[in-house]
Amino acid sequence: MTQQVRRAFRYRFHPTDEQAAELSRTFGGVRLGYNKALEERARAWYGEQRRVSYVQSSAALTAWKKTEELAFLTEVSSVPLQQALRHLQAAFGNFFAKRAQYPRFKSRKKSRASAEYTRSAFTWRDGRLTLAKMVAPLRIRWSRPLPEGAEPSTVTVSRDSAGRWFVSMLCEDTVAPAPASDLAVGPDAGITSLATLSTGEKITNPRHERRDRARLARARRELSRKVKGSHNREEARGKVAKVHARIADRRRDFLRKLTTRLVRENQTLVIEDLTVRNLLKNGKLARAISDAAWTDLRSMLEYKCAWYGRELVVIDRFFPSSKLCGACGTITAKLPLNVRTWTCECGAVHDRDANAARNILAAGLAASACGDGVRPQRESSRTGRSSAKQETQRATAGTPHP
């Protein structure tokens, strides 16, 4: 059965000089409005113990436009400015719900330059997009067509650190579920192999950052030699950004193809609830973990499983997938990272990653059967073991070693 989903379609475009100047002013206005609203909220709370709502921030924005200092805000469309205040409101909502940290100020050099336009601030006619305050439509490179009959409800324009311009259109799209399958897979994320499947297949880690490391180091050396604030330094900074953009594009493309393949072939996918933020504290492995992009891999699996009618099971992060013997259920006491093959007391010889992948799959199937494990399970205060662990050890103990 098909379902309607909201889907963003992202394209590159090449603005004219006038359009680039208008968008740059809009980016600056969005950043200024966001920062002033955040400053006002912080001052009101810490000085007067008073909360500021979106309506009050919007009224303050109107007042700022009437001042001589900020009168230039009237030169850009008001919709992106209002959307920035809504984003700030959402950021505080996530903070109070303990889903995110306290909102931070936007930096001109480090923050993403973007502006969001709602339906009242752009015109979509005959496949041509014209933003508010502009006369000519954007020159978009249509790398793929929009869904037939789709009209964007929201348009987000952005410029990355490499100077590339992008437009993202949010549209309603019809997604058909993938053909039913009786297969299940449990990928074990790694560094040497990006993922080891429970079938025994190992997906080689492309190591995109390592492949361009020499080029990146050369660009950084050139940047370090330039005088701060000079035009040459800005050019050198752009070269560094282009190398980073190349790495990110290749990594994202590889992960999209990999996750699409896994979702198409399998009905059930089981993954571990890895705390990547904590793993990055390991100074020796932080660079390799960042290059592997495990968080992006999980997020892609999540939305693709939801779109195509697949089941994604997330098991407890404390489950000893590598130390657990898939043949007898024994948990070995110590298993250093440099040990890639180990032998259990029962005589079974395990490849570390392949054994972990099979145990992850067994844990997910057991937890899914009893309605547990779809969300990360905390360890029990009495037993020190999560329900996912207990179910898995009962399910895997005595299982013949493949």
Side-chain angles (χ1 to χ4, degrees), residues 160-323:
D160 67 5
S161 57
R164 301 179 301 177
W165 296 84
F166 294 93
V167 57
S168 180
M169 306 181 193
L170 187 64
C171 305
E172 290 287 338
D173 191 16
T174 302
V175 177
S181 172
D182 57 355
L183 300 179
V185 69
D188 176 53
I191 296 176
T192 304
S193 298
L194 180 63
T196 301
L197 307 185
S198 53
T199 58
E201 178 187 358
K202 292 191 175 183
I203 300 171
T204 304
N205 187 354
R207 297 181 182 270
H208 298 291
E209 188 271 340
R210 174 178 288 185
R211 292 170 61 183
D212 281 346
R213 187 170 294 177
R215 180 182 298 180
L216 182 60
R218 184 165 54 252
R220 284 176 170 171
R221 283 196 301 270
E222 293 178 359
L223 174 63
S224 66
R225 296 172 183 144
K226 307 302 180 184
V227 178
K228 291 186 177 180
S230 66
H231 178 71
N232 288 339
R233 184 176 178 85
E234 282 302 307
E235 287 188 350
R237 185 203 59 78
K239 292 180 180 179
V240 174
K242 287 181 180 179
V243 178
H244 279 296
R246 170 186 166 89
I247 295 171
D249 289 346
R250 293 165 62 188
R251 181 189 295 124
R252 191 181 305 111
D253 179 70
F254 180 84
L255 291 179
R256 282 175 176 168
K257 292 177 180 177
L258 172 61
T259 53
T260 298
R261 174 201 154 192
L262 294 177
V263 171
R264 284 179 176 174
E265 294 178 353
N266 301 277
Q267 185 66 35
T268 303
L269 294 94
V270 185
I271 60 176
E272 285 184 294
D273 179 40
L274 298 176
T275 52
V276 178
R277 180 177 298 178
N278 293 338
L279 295 175
L280 290 175
K281 296 177 181 178
N282 185 329
K284 295 182 179 180
L285 298 177
R287 194 170 191 173
I289 292 174
S290 298
D291 193 23
W294 294 338
T295 302
D296 293 341
L297 177 66
R298 172 173 174 172
S299 64
M300 291 181 186
L301 287 175
E302 286 178 342
Y303 79 77
K304 289 182 181 181
C305 285
W307 281 2
Y308 299 111
R310 301 310 198 192
E311 181 183 10
L312 181 66
V313 182
V314 183
I315 67 169
D316 185 17
R317 67 187 61 170
F318 300 108
F319 173 67
S321 58
S322 298
K323 297 180 180 180

